[in-house]
Amino acid sequence: MEHLHQSFTVQYNYNIFFTSSLFLPENELLSRFLVNLNPSVTVKKILFVIDEGVANAHKDLNTQIKTYFAKYSQTQLIQDILVIPGGEQVKNDTQYFDQVLEAINLHGIDRHSFVAAIGGGALLDMVGYAATVAHRGIKHIRIPSTVLSQNDSGVGVKNGINYFNKKNFLGTFSPPVAVFNDEVFLSTLSDRDWRSGIAEAIKVALIKDREFFEWLEVNAIALANRDPAAMNYQIWRCAKLHIEHIRSADPFENGSARPLDFGHWSAHKLEYLTNFEVRHGEAVAMGIALDTVYSNLSGRISAEDAQRVIFLIQQLGFELTHPLLQVIEGNSPILQGLEEFREHLGGELTITLLTGLGSGEEVHEIDADILKQAAAILNNQAAIIQH
Amino acid sequence: MEHLHQSFTVQYNYNIFFTSSLFLPENELLSRFLVNLNPSVTVKKILFVIDEGVANAHKDLNTQIKTYFAKYSQTQLIQDILVIPGGEQVKNDTQYFDQVLEAINLHGIDRHSFVAAIGGGALLDMVGYAATVAHRGIKHIRIPSTVLSQNDSGVGVKNGINYFNKKNFLGTFSPPVAVFNDEVFLSTLSDRDWRSGIAEAIKVALIKDREFFEWLEVNAIALANRDPAAMNYQIWRCAKLHIEHIRSADPFENGSARPLDFGHWSAHKLEYLTNFEVRHGEAVAMGIALDTVYSNLSGRISAEDAQRVIFLIQQLGFELTHPLLQVIEGNSPILQGLEEFREHLGGELTITLLTGLGSGEEVHEIDADILKQAAAILNNQAAIIQH
């Protein structure tokens, strides 16, 4: 029978800017961006939502923003700046999502105006989701405040909140109009948070970019010692690899393209089992260690290469594994996590393993015995067995 | 300072199928579509959500669907078919949105599975929104059951629910994976609903397609007398014009492209003022009459052309105007509606007026005196004054 065919493409563009002291009155970067986007629009408002952790660490941020927009007044700052808790709780309780929607409604933020979020990945996810669904999409700006969000989640296209106790049950694929990575926010991070995000750099280097992996080896001590120049380069290169992956594959995951999730299947389960006491990056470092040793034991990479990965993880100050990642007889949460991951993918399991330092392959089967052996090796902090 | 640039395009494709008796066991159309989309996926589920009005008018629909999927069992039907009220209330109260999310969660509908909605535009909007945000986008199928949704809203890319008493405050631009226009659902519509949707055909013909306008003139009596063949052609051509407009312009309205909303600015206000007792299509017919007479009085079209439009609207059985559309001294709701429309657009007013039968132009100013005169002319059912 006859039908009509609809077909069109939508173009998405945005920049990730790298700066220092975004709200210093001399720094025109943000104001110039706001003015130049759709210059024909006469009234543009901007609503800020700030992570409480950032607000506490930067007590004068509120005043800085107000001073900044008093100078650059072409964009109309909503004086009522929202401060909202950060961390996973902001995605678990819909009252925060509602709070952002209420502010959008109260202040008449329309599709030509902006919602800017300053904070860690969880806050950015929640605010991005609220901005995307309000009026079918208000322009949103991400100002990530952690290593993890500056080099990975904050520069991507996903947002979401948790619902029915399920991570990101509600959300969309929706690019921001811009990302501003400000190094000033990194200076006040705890050592754990400073380190944690680097796990995503190890991940992407291992499956995409051997040269970057070697750079991480050379700079591991500098990174662990909080050298700002090393951190800035790490963030820039990691962000670059992430956005290139999004661009080259299937940005909104409509087909079967896989996200960059090497080492993540066990990490997700571990975060959940520890009620997020193990941070995402810490769990990912353990997940990378596990899948790296598995890659060696299953004959994909040499013991020497696996050893280099383990050594890098240790030099950066990460723990290698966790008791809950062990495979034990009977009810192993990690094997259950594997099964949940299979379900999440819609039937067929797909896990990335290493075939070298800088290259990976997708496999559809994980051998429980090899996994048990890999976890045990890490647990014993034992040297990698020569394959 | 340095920055990274992200740029990518996303391709959207879907078909609008025209059929009769979609769930007849001999009709393979739906099953073939479901099986052929991403054939590598092993388990695909389908959850149905049905408009109560449709369920009441088609008592055996539930059984038909179950019989259909018992035969075409490659796709796993969720046996618990949701029946939900239709009409604007389904967008006003979030309990219905939650009900769809709960079913998606309970039955483990993932991104490879389908949510199919059968109903009028309001139900399709609500279900489309729920499907789009669950798991960052479950594939959704629209089966519009009214003239209005088959020829206009159901074939487009928007969804949404009302929030804070504002129409479509929450929603997204998100194309369905397919639309199935089944003529069987039209046969049970009331005369009001049968007629109402034809207003969108007049609208799109007037600004895009003179030949279609002339076809509507020739077939007005057949349409008013519920001739199925005339209705099928009207729906096919109107849907075609709508999807071509979406394709050619700016599908997700990221720039300043205007939707096809000739005659709509006053219609929205009237629907709201009458608490939706005046149906959308009825209000649009009055809005078209108003903007057509305005187009004549402001020197854009001849009185003869305006007369042809008014005559067509009357032949189809529509009312020409409503007391609330009159401009009176002091507090005119219609002038307030104009101001709200300006705010909704973000500062600059843009209204489409006719420059001929089949062509329009955008204007940024409406003269209150001319508007008053146009409304009065329609109110008096007077003949159009020769310009």
Short mmCIF file of all heavy atoms in Angstrom, two decimals, chain A residues 1 4-16 18 105 111 133 135-136 159 166 169 171 243 247 253, chain B residues 1 4-16 18 105 111 133 135-136 159 166 169 171 243 247 253:
data_model
loop_
_atom_site.label_atom_id
_atom_site.label_comp_id
_atom_site.label_asym_id
_atom_site.label_seq_id
_atom_site.Cartn_x
_atom_site.Cartn_y
_atom_site.Cartn_z
N MET A 1 0.84 -1.21 0.00
CA MET A 1 0.00 0.00 0.00
C MET A 1 0.87 1.25 0.00
O MET A 1 2.02 1.22 0.44
CB MET A 1 -0.90 0.00 1.23
CG MET A 1 -2.13 0.88 1.02
SD MET A 1 -3.36 0.60 2.30
CE MET A 1 -4.83 0.36 1.34
N LEU A 4 3.97 7.66 2.57
CA LEU A 4 4.79 8.85 2.42
C LEU A 4 6.09 8.61 3.18
O LEU A 4 6.09 7.99 4.24
CB LEU A 4 4.09 10.07 3.03
CG LEU A 4 2.80 10.54 2.36
CD1 LEU A 4 2.10 11.59 3.24
CD2 LEU A 4 3.09 11.11 0.98
N HIS A 5 7.19 9.11 2.64
CA HIS A 5 8.47 8.92 3.30
C HIS A 5 8.99 10.26 3.82
O HIS A 5 9.08 11.22 3.07
CB HIS A 5 9.48 8.30 2.33
CG HIS A 5 10.81 8.05 2.97
ND1 HIS A 5 10.96 7.25 4.07
CD2 HIS A 5 12.05 8.53 2.68
CE1 HIS A 5 12.23 7.23 4.43
NE2 HIS A 5 12.91 8.00 3.61
N GLN A 6 9.30 10.30 5.09
CA GLN A 6 9.90 11.49 5.67
C GLN A 6 11.38 11.22 5.91
O GLN A 6 11.75 10.15 6.40
CB GLN A 6 9.19 11.85 6.99
CG GLN A 6 9.79 13.05 7.73
CD GLN A 6 9.61 14.35 6.98
OE1 GLN A 6 10.06 14.52 5.84
NE2 GLN A 6 8.96 15.31 7.60
N SER A 7 12.21 12.17 5.57
CA SER A 7 13.66 12.00 5.74
C SER A 7 14.30 13.37 5.85
O SER A 7 14.08 14.23 5.00
CB SER A 7 14.22 11.26 4.51
OG SER A 7 15.62 11.20 4.60
N PHE A 8 15.04 13.59 6.91
CA PHE A 8 15.76 14.86 7.03
C PHE A 8 16.95 14.68 7.97
O PHE A 8 17.02 13.68 8.71
CB PHE A 8 14.85 15.99 7.53
CG PHE A 8 14.16 15.72 8.84
CD1 PHE A 8 14.82 15.94 10.05
CD2 PHE A 8 12.86 15.23 8.88
CE1 PHE A 8 14.18 15.69 11.27
CE2 PHE A 8 12.22 14.98 10.10
CZ PHE A 8 12.89 15.21 11.29
N THR A 9 17.88 15.60 7.90
CA THR A 9 19.01 15.57 8.82
C THR A 9 18.98 16.83 9.66
O THR A 9 18.49 17.87 9.23
CB THR A 9 20.36 15.52 8.09
OG1 THR A 9 20.46 16.66 7.25
CG2 THR A 9 20.52 14.27 7.27
N VAL A 10 19.47 16.70 10.87
CA VAL A 10 19.58 17.85 11.76
C VAL A 10 21.07 18.02 12.09
O VAL A 10 21.76 17.04 12.40
CB VAL A 10 18.75 17.65 13.04
CG1 VAL A 10 18.94 18.82 14.00
CG2 VAL A 10 17.27 17.52 12.68
N GLN A 11 21.52 19.25 11.98
CA GLN A 11 22.94 19.55 12.20
C GLN A 11 23.12 20.04 13.63
O GLN A 11 22.36 20.87 14.12
CB GLN A 11 23.35 20.66 11.21
CG GLN A 11 24.76 21.20 11.39
CD GLN A 11 25.79 20.35 10.68
OE1 GLN A 11 25.52 19.86 9.57
NE2 GLN A 11 26.94 20.16 11.28
N TYR A 12 24.12 19.48 14.30
CA TYR A 12 24.43 19.92 15.67
C TYR A 12 25.86 20.44 15.72
O TYR A 12 26.77 19.79 15.19
CB TYR A 12 24.28 18.76 16.66
CG TYR A 12 22.86 18.26 16.78
CD1 TYR A 12 22.39 17.23 15.97
CD2 TYR A 12 21.98 18.84 17.67
CE1 TYR A 12 21.08 16.78 16.06
CE2 TYR A 12 20.67 18.40 17.78
CZ TYR A 12 20.23 17.37 16.97
OH TYR A 12 18.92 16.93 17.07
N ASN A 13 26.05 21.61 16.31
CA ASN A 13 27.37 22.23 16.44
C ASN A 13 27.52 22.79 17.83
O ASN A 13 26.61 23.45 18.33
CB ASN A 13 27.52 23.42 15.48
CG ASN A 13 27.60 22.99 14.05
OD1 ASN A 13 28.52 22.30 13.67
ND2 ASN A 13 26.61 23.39 13.27
N TYR A 14 28.64 22.55 18.45
CA TYR A 14 28.95 23.30 19.67
C TYR A 14 30.45 23.27 19.93
O TYR A 14 31.16 22.40 19.44
CB TYR A 14 28.18 22.77 20.88
CG TYR A 14 28.45 21.34 21.30
CD1 TYR A 14 29.36 21.04 22.31
CD2 TYR A 14 27.77 20.27 20.71
CE1 TYR A 14 29.59 19.73 22.72
CE2 TYR A 14 28.00 18.97 21.11
CZ TYR A 14 28.91 18.70 22.11
OH TYR A 14 29.14 17.40 22.51
N ASN A 15 30.90 24.26 20.68
CA ASN A 15 32.32 24.34 21.03
C ASN A 15 32.52 23.97 22.49
O ASN A 15 31.67 24.23 23.33
CB ASN A 15 32.86 25.75 20.81
CG ASN A 15 33.07 26.04 19.33
OD1 ASN A 15 33.27 25.12 18.53
ND2 ASN A 15 33.03 27.31 18.98
N ILE A 16 33.70 23.39 22.76
CA ILE A 16 34.15 23.20 24.14
C ILE A 16 35.30 24.18 24.33
O ILE A 16 36.37 24.03 23.73
CB ILE A 16 34.61 21.76 24.36
CG1 ILE A 16 33.39 20.84 24.18
CG2 ILE A 16 35.23 21.58 25.74
CD1 ILE A 16 33.71 19.58 23.47
N PHE A 18 38.16 26.21 26.54
CA PHE A 18 39.05 26.00 27.68
C PHE A 18 39.48 27.36 28.17
O PHE A 18 39.98 28.17 27.39
CB PHE A 18 40.26 25.15 27.27
CG PHE A 18 39.86 23.76 26.87
CD1 PHE A 18 39.40 23.51 25.57
CD2 PHE A 18 39.89 22.72 27.77
CE1 PHE A 18 38.99 22.23 25.20
CE2 PHE A 18 39.48 21.44 27.41
CZ PHE A 18 39.03 21.20 26.12
N ASN A 105 10.05 28.53 34.50
CA ASN A 105 8.71 29.06 34.34
C ASN A 105 8.58 30.45 34.97
O ASN A 105 8.13 31.40 34.34
CB ASN A 105 7.70 28.09 34.96
CG ASN A 105 6.27 28.54 34.76
OD1 ASN A 105 5.90 28.95 33.66
ND2 ASN A 105 5.47 28.49 35.81
N ARG A 111 12.90 29.69 24.54
CA ARG A 111 13.81 28.92 23.70
C ARG A 111 14.99 29.74 23.17
O ARG A 111 15.95 29.18 22.65
CB ARG A 111 13.04 28.29 22.53
CG ARG A 111 12.18 27.09 22.96
CD ARG A 111 11.24 26.63 21.87
NE ARG A 111 11.89 26.39 20.60
CZ ARG A 111 12.57 25.29 20.30
NH1 ARG A 111 12.66 24.32 21.15
NH2 ARG A 111 13.15 25.16 19.12
N VAL A 133 13.78 19.45 28.08
CA VAL A 133 12.34 19.18 27.95
C VAL A 133 11.47 20.42 28.18
O VAL A 133 10.30 20.43 27.79
CB VAL A 133 11.87 18.01 28.86
CG1 VAL A 133 12.53 16.71 28.42
CG2 VAL A 133 12.13 18.30 30.33
N HIS A 135 9.82 23.74 27.33
CA HIS A 135 9.54 24.40 26.04
C HIS A 135 10.15 23.65 24.85
O HIS A 135 10.59 24.26 23.88
CB HIS A 135 10.06 25.84 26.04
CG HIS A 135 9.39 26.73 27.03
ND1 HIS A 135 8.03 26.93 27.04
CD2 HIS A 135 9.89 27.47 28.05
CE1 HIS A 135 7.72 27.76 28.02
NE2 HIS A 135 8.83 28.10 28.66
N ARG A 136 10.25 22.34 24.95
CA ARG A 136 10.88 21.50 23.91
C ARG A 136 12.32 21.90 23.62
O ARG A 136 12.81 21.73 22.50
CB ARG A 136 10.07 21.53 22.61
CG ARG A 136 8.66 20.96 22.74
CD ARG A 136 8.09 20.57 21.38
NE ARG A 136 6.73 20.08 21.51
CZ ARG A 136 5.64 20.79 21.15
NH1 ARG A 136 5.79 22.00 20.68
NH2 ARG A 136 4.45 20.27 21.28
N ASN A 159 21.94 13.41 28.81
CA ASN A 159 21.54 13.94 30.10
C ASN A 159 20.56 12.95 30.73
O ASN A 159 20.21 11.94 30.10
CB ASN A 159 20.92 15.33 29.94
CG ASN A 159 19.71 15.31 29.04
OD1 ASN A 159 18.82 14.48 29.20
ND2 ASN A 159 19.68 16.21 28.07
N LYS A 166 16.26 3.42 38.89
CA LYS A 166 17.10 3.01 37.75
C LYS A 166 17.87 4.20 37.22
O LYS A 166 17.31 5.28 37.00
CB LYS A 166 16.24 2.39 36.64
CG LYS A 166 15.66 1.07 37.10
CD LYS A 166 15.10 0.23 35.98
CE LYS A 166 14.62 -1.10 36.57
NZ LYS A 166 13.67 -1.79 35.70
N PHE A 169 16.94 6.47 33.97
CA PHE A 169 15.72 5.94 33.36
C PHE A 169 15.05 7.02 32.51
O PHE A 169 14.47 6.73 31.46
CB PHE A 169 14.74 5.44 34.43
CG PHE A 169 13.51 4.78 33.85
CD1 PHE A 169 13.52 3.43 33.55
CD2 PHE A 169 12.36 5.52 33.56
CE1 PHE A 169 12.40 2.82 32.98
CE2 PHE A 169 11.24 4.91 32.99
CZ PHE A 169 11.27 3.56 32.70
N GLY A 171 15.69 10.59 30.39
CA GLY A 171 16.76 11.43 29.83
C GLY A 171 16.63 11.55 28.33
O GLY A 171 15.71 10.99 27.73
N ILE A 243 34.73 13.51 22.07
CA ILE A 243 33.82 14.14 21.09
C ILE A 243 34.06 13.58 19.69
O ILE A 243 33.13 13.49 18.89
CB ILE A 243 33.86 15.69 21.13
CG1 ILE A 243 35.17 16.25 20.62
CG2 ILE A 243 33.52 16.22 22.51
CD1 ILE A 243 35.10 17.76 20.39
N ARG A 247 31.16 11.93 17.36
CA ARG A 247 30.98 12.40 15.97
C ARG A 247 31.06 11.27 14.97
O ARG A 247 30.28 11.19 14.02
CB ARG A 247 32.05 13.45 15.67
CG ARG A 247 32.02 14.00 14.28
CD ARG A 247 32.76 15.33 14.20
NE ARG A 247 34.17 15.23 14.49
CZ ARG A 247 34.82 15.95 15.39
NH1 ARG A 247 34.18 16.82 16.13
NH2 ARG A 247 36.11 15.80 15.59
N GLU A 253 22.98 7.16 19.44
CA GLU A 253 22.85 5.71 19.68
C GLU A 253 21.55 5.13 19.14
O GLU A 253 20.87 4.36 19.81
CB GLU A 253 23.04 5.41 21.19
CG GLU A 253 24.43 5.81 21.67
CD GLU A 253 24.65 5.68 23.18
OE1 GLU A 253 23.88 4.95 23.83
OE2 GLU A 253 25.60 6.32 23.69
N MET B 1 41.42 32.03 23.12
CA MET B 1 41.89 30.79 23.74
C MET B 1 41.42 29.58 22.93
O MET B 1 40.43 29.65 22.22
CB MET B 1 41.37 30.68 25.17
CG MET B 1 42.23 29.77 26.03
SD MET B 1 41.84 29.92 27.78
CE MET B 1 43.45 30.22 28.49
N LEU B 4 37.73 23.16 21.33
CA LEU B 4 37.43 22.00 20.48
C LEU B 4 36.08 22.27 19.84
O LEU B 4 35.18 22.81 20.48
CB LEU B 4 37.35 20.72 21.31
CG LEU B 4 38.64 20.25 21.99
CD1 LEU B 4 38.32 19.13 22.98
CD2 LEU B 4 39.65 19.77 20.96
N HIS B 5 35.94 21.85 18.58
CA HIS B 5 34.66 22.05 17.90
C HIS B 5 33.99 20.70 17.67
O HIS B 5 34.59 19.79 17.11
CB HIS B 5 34.90 22.77 16.57
CG HIS B 5 33.62 23.03 15.83
ND1 HIS B 5 32.60 23.79 16.36
CD2 HIS B 5 33.19 22.62 14.61
CE1 HIS B 5 31.59 23.83 15.50
NE2 HIS B 5 31.92 23.14 14.43
N GLN B 6 32.76 20.60 18.10
CA GLN B 6 31.99 19.40 17.84
C GLN B 6 30.95 19.72 16.76
O GLN B 6 30.30 20.77 16.83
CB GLN B 6 31.29 18.92 19.12
CG GLN B 6 30.39 17.72 18.95
CD GLN B 6 31.14 16.45 18.59
OE1 GLN B 6 31.86 16.38 17.58
NE2 GLN B 6 31.00 15.42 19.40
N SER B 7 30.81 18.83 15.81
CA SER B 7 29.87 19.04 14.72
C SER B 7 29.45 17.69 14.16
O SER B 7 30.31 16.87 13.82
CB SER B 7 30.54 19.87 13.63
OG SER B 7 29.68 19.98 12.52
N PHE B 8 28.18 17.44 14.11
CA PHE B 8 27.71 16.20 13.49
C PHE B 8 26.27 16.37 13.03
O PHE B 8 25.59 17.30 13.44
CB PHE B 8 27.84 15.00 14.45
CG PHE B 8 27.11 15.16 15.76
CD1 PHE B 8 25.75 14.89 15.84
CD2 PHE B 8 27.79 15.56 16.89
CE1 PHE B 8 25.08 15.03 17.05
CE2 PHE B 8 27.11 15.71 18.11
CZ PHE B 8 25.76 15.44 18.18
N THR B 9 25.84 15.49 12.15
CA THR B 9 24.44 15.49 11.72
C THR B 9 23.80 14.17 12.14
O THR B 9 24.47 13.15 12.23
CB THR B 9 24.28 15.63 10.20
OG1 THR B 9 24.97 14.56 9.58
CG2 THR B 9 24.84 16.93 9.70
N VAL B 10 22.53 14.25 12.41
CA VAL B 10 21.76 13.04 12.72
C VAL B 10 20.67 12.91 11.66
O VAL B 10 19.99 13.88 11.33
CB VAL B 10 21.16 13.11 14.13
CG1 VAL B 10 20.30 11.89 14.42
CG2 VAL B 10 22.27 13.22 15.17
N GLN B 11 20.57 11.70 11.13
CA GLN B 11 19.61 11.43 10.06
C GLN B 11 18.33 10.86 10.66
O GLN B 11 18.39 9.97 11.51
CB GLN B 11 20.24 10.41 9.10
CG GLN B 11 19.33 9.90 8.00
CD GLN B 11 19.32 10.83 6.79
OE1 GLN B 11 20.35 11.38 6.43
NE2 GLN B 11 18.16 11.00 6.17
N TYR B 12 17.19 11.39 10.24
CA TYR B 12 15.91 10.87 10.70
C TYR B 12 15.09 10.40 9.51
O TYR B 12 14.99 11.12 8.51
CB TYR B 12 15.12 11.96 11.45
CG TYR B 12 15.80 12.40 12.73
CD1 TYR B 12 16.69 13.47 12.74
CD2 TYR B 12 15.56 11.74 13.93
CE1 TYR B 12 17.33 13.86 13.92
CE2 TYR B 12 16.18 12.12 15.10
CZ TYR B 12 17.06 13.19 15.09
OH TYR B 12 17.68 13.58 16.25
N ASN B 13 14.55 9.21 9.61
CA ASN B 13 13.73 8.63 8.55
C ASN B 13 12.51 7.96 9.14
O ASN B 13 12.62 7.24 10.14
CB ASN B 13 14.49 7.49 7.83
CG ASN B 13 15.62 8.01 6.99
OD1 ASN B 13 15.41 8.75 6.05
ND2 ASN B 13 16.83 7.64 7.35
N TYR B 14 11.37 8.20 8.58
CA TYR B 14 10.22 7.37 8.94
C TYR B 14 9.18 7.42 7.84
O TYR B 14 9.16 8.35 7.03
CB TYR B 14 9.62 7.78 10.30
CG TYR B 14 9.07 9.18 10.40
CD1 TYR B 14 7.70 9.44 10.22
CD2 TYR B 14 9.89 10.26 10.71
CE1 TYR B 14 7.18 10.73 10.33
CE2 TYR B 14 9.39 11.54 10.81
CZ TYR B 14 8.03 11.78 10.62
OH TYR B 14 7.54 13.05 10.73
N ASN B 15 8.34 6.41 7.82
CA ASN B 15 7.27 6.35 6.83
C ASN B 15 5.92 6.62 7.50
O ASN B 15 5.70 6.27 8.66
CB ASN B 15 7.21 4.97 6.17
CG ASN B 15 8.32 4.79 5.17
OD1 ASN B 15 8.85 5.76 4.62
ND2 ASN B 15 8.71 3.55 4.94
N ILE B 16 5.02 7.21 6.70
CA ILE B 16 3.62 7.32 7.09
C ILE B 16 2.86 6.37 6.18
O ILE B 16 2.76 6.59 4.98
CB ILE B 16 3.13 8.77 6.93
CG1 ILE B 16 3.89 9.67 7.90
CG2 ILE B 16 1.62 8.86 7.18
CD1 ILE B 16 4.29 10.98 7.33
N PHE B 18 -0.46 4.28 4.90
CA PHE B 18 -1.91 4.43 4.80
C PHE B 18 -2.51 3.04 4.63
O PHE B 18 -2.09 2.30 3.72
CB PHE B 18 -2.28 5.34 3.63
CG PHE B 18 -1.77 6.74 3.82
CD1 PHE B 18 -0.47 7.07 3.52
CD2 PHE B 18 -2.60 7.72 4.37
CE1 PHE B 18 0.00 8.36 3.73
CE2 PHE B 18 -2.13 9.00 4.59
CZ PHE B 18 -0.82 9.33 4.27
N ASN B 105 8.57 0.49 32.49
CA ASN B 105 9.48 -0.08 33.49
C ASN B 105 9.07 -1.50 33.85
O ASN B 105 9.89 -2.42 33.81
CB ASN B 105 9.48 0.82 34.73
CG ASN B 105 10.46 0.34 35.78
OD1 ASN B 105 11.59 -0.01 35.45
ND2 ASN B 105 10.03 0.31 37.01
N ARG B 111 15.32 0.13 24.56
CA ARG B 111 15.48 0.99 23.39
C ARG B 111 15.30 0.25 22.06
O ARG B 111 15.17 0.87 21.01
CB ARG B 111 16.85 1.68 23.42
CG ARG B 111 16.93 2.81 24.45
CD ARG B 111 18.35 3.32 24.64
NE ARG B 111 19.01 3.67 23.41
CZ ARG B 111 18.84 4.81 22.75
NH1 ARG B 111 18.04 5.72 23.24
NH2 ARG B 111 19.47 5.03 21.62
N VAL B 133 11.50 10.12 26.45
CA VAL B 133 12.40 10.34 27.59
C VAL B 133 12.72 9.06 28.36
O VAL B 133 13.70 9.03 29.12
CB VAL B 133 11.86 11.43 28.56
CG1 VAL B 133 11.80 12.77 27.86
CG2 VAL B 133 10.51 11.05 29.14
N HIS B 135 14.46 5.76 29.03
CA HIS B 135 15.72 5.18 28.51
C HIS B 135 16.34 6.03 27.40
O HIS B 135 16.93 5.51 26.46
CB HIS B 135 15.50 3.76 27.99
CG HIS B 135 15.08 2.78 29.04
ND1 HIS B 135 15.82 2.55 30.17
CD2 HIS B 135 13.98 1.98 29.14
CE1 HIS B 135 15.20 1.63 30.92
NE2 HIS B 135 14.08 1.28 30.32
N ARG B 136 16.15 7.31 27.46
CA ARG B 136 16.64 8.25 26.44
C ARG B 136 16.10 7.94 25.04
O ARG B 136 16.74 8.22 24.04
CB ARG B 136 18.18 8.29 26.39
CG ARG B 136 18.84 8.78 27.68
CD ARG B 136 20.25 9.28 27.41
NE ARG B 136 20.92 9.69 28.63
CZ ARG B 136 21.80 8.96 29.29
NH1 ARG B 136 22.17 7.78 28.83
NH2 ARG B 136 22.35 9.40 30.40
N ASN B 159 6.14 16.37 20.48
CA ASN B 159 5.30 15.75 21.49
C ASN B 159 5.29 16.66 22.71
O ASN B 159 5.96 17.69 22.72
CB ASN B 159 5.83 14.34 21.84
CG ASN B 159 7.26 14.39 22.33
OD1 ASN B 159 7.60 15.18 23.22
ND2 ASN B 159 8.11 13.57 21.76
N LYS B 166 0.57 25.47 31.43
CA LYS B 166 1.01 25.98 30.13
C LYS B 166 1.06 24.84 29.12
O LYS B 166 1.61 23.77 29.40
CB LYS B 166 2.39 26.63 30.29
CG LYS B 166 2.30 27.88 31.13
CD LYS B 166 3.49 28.79 30.99
CE LYS B 166 3.22 30.06 31.81
NZ LYS B 166 4.45 30.76 32.17
N PHE B 169 4.36 22.78 27.95
CA PHE B 169 5.53 23.30 28.67
C PHE B 169 6.65 22.26 28.69
O PHE B 169 7.82 22.59 28.59
CB PHE B 169 5.16 23.70 30.10
CG PHE B 169 6.31 24.35 30.85
CD1 PHE B 169 6.50 25.72 30.76
CD2 PHE B 169 7.20 23.60 31.60
CE1 PHE B 169 7.58 26.32 31.41
CE2 PHE B 169 8.28 24.20 32.26
CZ PHE B 169 8.47 25.56 32.16
N GLY B 171 8.19 18.87 26.73
CA GLY B 171 8.10 18.11 25.49
C GLY B 171 9.43 18.09 24.75
O GLY B 171 10.41 18.67 25.22
N ILE B 243 4.62 17.14 6.10
CA ILE B 243 5.96 16.56 6.28
C ILE B 243 6.97 17.21 5.34
O ILE B 243 8.14 17.33 5.68
CB ILE B 243 5.97 15.01 6.16
CG1 ILE B 243 5.69 14.53 4.75
CG2 ILE B 243 5.02 14.38 7.17
CD1 ILE B 243 5.98 13.05 4.58
N ARG B 247 10.46 18.94 6.58
CA ARG B 247 11.72 18.56 5.93
C ARG B 247 12.46 19.78 5.38
O ARG B 247 13.66 19.91 5.51
CB ARG B 247 11.42 17.56 4.81
CG ARG B 247 12.62 17.10 4.04
CD ARG B 247 12.32 15.81 3.30
NE ARG B 247 11.32 15.94 2.27
CZ ARG B 247 10.23 15.19 2.18
NH1 ARG B 247 9.97 14.26 3.08
NH2 ARG B 247 9.37 15.35 1.21
N GLU B 253 13.10 23.30 14.85
CA GLU B 253 12.90 24.72 15.18
C GLU B 253 14.05 25.29 16.01
O GLU B 253 13.86 26.00 16.99
CB GLU B 253 11.54 24.91 15.88
CG GLU B 253 10.39 24.53 14.95
CD GLU B 253 9.00 24.55 15.63
OE1 GLU B 253 8.86 25.20 16.66
OE2 GLU B 253 8.08 23.89 15.09
#
